[in-house]
Amino acid sequence: MSIASRLVTALVGVLLIWFFWPFGESEEVVQTVTPPPTGHERLFTTKLPEETPPKPAPRAASPEAAPPKAAPKTEAETDGEAPEAKTLEDKTPDDKTPDDTASEDKASKNTKTAAVAVSPKLKPKRFYRVRVLDSGTLEASGRVIKLDGINPIPSDETCNDKSGTKWLCGTRARLALTRFIRGRAVVCKVPEKDKAKALTARCSLASKDLSVWVAAQGWAKPAAPPKPKIAKAADQARKKKIGIWR
């Protein structure tokens, strides 16, 4: 077979293929699918929410008007009303009953008991190198101690004897207490936790109460209210006419 015959055969085959090939006869339809909405397409079409205006601050509550004071009742308005009950403090001695008096006594006892309960705890303390300032005042360890229960005679006090002659009773009283102590240690009952520079205390020397001793020598008077032992000692000195009683 020649080349020309081959070319013709090939051309005829191509024509036959083109003629019998089913171009455009397919019944299959391609459908387009719409994507689901994502919300982005409404980005510029959705109306923005309006800005909420700020709420006004609450106003401070105005103070309520004070209720008007009730006018005092007249004598006509009080007629027929029961009198108000008087308290124990408002009652006069004539209005008080025995029960009221008993209540007052009980309250007084409770007050005294409370006063005793809060009294500081005392402890004996020994003082050395005691210096006598007057017949009832000592100085030791940088503290001034006033003897309890007596009124001392100031060291510069002067007294008059029976003849009217003045004499230095204050100096004599101070020297008498100084000779009695003679540089010995004095024991005083002082508050346990009190560090005050000046205090009042009962002091003793060789088991003798200094307040009682000074009063018995006639160098001090009992303080009010007088303590029994001190008052008795001062009364004996007055009878003996010693000390300031001469």
Side-chain angles (χ1 to χ4, degrees):
M1 181 177 295
S2 61
I3 296 174
S5 300
R6 291 180 180 177
L7 291 174
V8 173
T9 303
L11 182 58
V12 172
V14 171
L15 292 174
L16 291 174
I17 293 172
W18 180 81
F19 180 78
F20 291 103
W21 189 263
F23 289 109
E25 295 182 359
S26 176
E27 297 181 355
E28 184 176 355
V29 179
V30 178
Q31 298 180 354
T32 59
V33 179
T34 304
T38 59
H40 297 289
E41 66 276 4
R42 299 175 58 85
L43 180 61
F44 300 101
T45 59
T46 304
K47 186 178 180 180
L48 296 176
E50 296 181 359
E51 185 177 357
T52 304
K55 294 182 179 181
R59 295 182 180 178
S62 59
E64 297 181 359
K69 295 183 178 180
K73 294 183 179 181
T74 62
E75 184 178 355
E77 293 175 343
T78 56
D79 290 343
E81 293 185 0
E84 296 182 357
K86 292 184 179 180
T87 61
L88 186 59
E89 292 77 5
D90 296 334
K91 292 183 178 180
T92 62
D94 295 337
D95 296 335
K96 291 182 180 180
T97 63
D99 293 338
D100 296 336
T101 305
S103 300
E104 287 183 345
D105 294 341
K106 185 177 181 180
S108 178
K109 290 180 180 179
N110 293 337
T111 304
K112 292 180 181 179
T113 303
V116 173
V118 298
S119 298
K121 184 179 180 180
L122 301 178
K123 70 173 184 178
K125 180 177 177 59
R126 191 178 299 272
F127 291 91
Y128 299 93
R129 298 180 180 179
V130 179
R131 187 165 70 95
V132 178
L133 302 182
D134 56 35
S135 63
T137 309
L138 311 177
E139 184 181 18
S141 303
R143 306 175 76 176
V144 177
I145 306 170
K146 182 181 181 301
L147 298 180
D148 182 47
I150 61 174
N151 290 327
I153 303 173
S155 59
D156 58 351
E157 183 76 11
T158 59
C159 301
N160 296 326
D161 58 13
K162 292 182 179 180
S163 62
T165 305
K166 289 186 178 181
W167 59 289
L168 301 178
C169 57
T171 301
R172 293 283 300 276
R174 179 176 60 83
L175 291 175
L177 182 58
T178 302
R179 293 191 186 100
F180 179 70
I181 294 177
R182 296 198 312 270
R184 293 178 291 177
V186 175
V187 178
C188 300
K189 293 182 179 180
V190 298
E192 186 173 6
K193 297 182 180 181
D194 189 4
K195 302 299 181 182
K197 296 297 182 181
L199 68 153
T200 301
R202 297 297 292 266
C203 301
S204 61
L205 175 64
S207 302
K208 290 185 178 180
D209 190 318
L210 290 182
S211 298
V212 177
W213 184 88
V214 172
Q217 301 302 313
W219 298 122
K221 297 178 180 180
K227 293 178 170 58
K229 289 185 178 181
I230 297 176
K232 183 179 179 180
D235 186 60
Q236 291 176 354
R238 187 184 299 106
K239 292 179 180 179
K240 294 179 182 179
K241 298 180 181 181
I242 59 177
I244 60 175
W245 309 111
R246 71 178 190 175

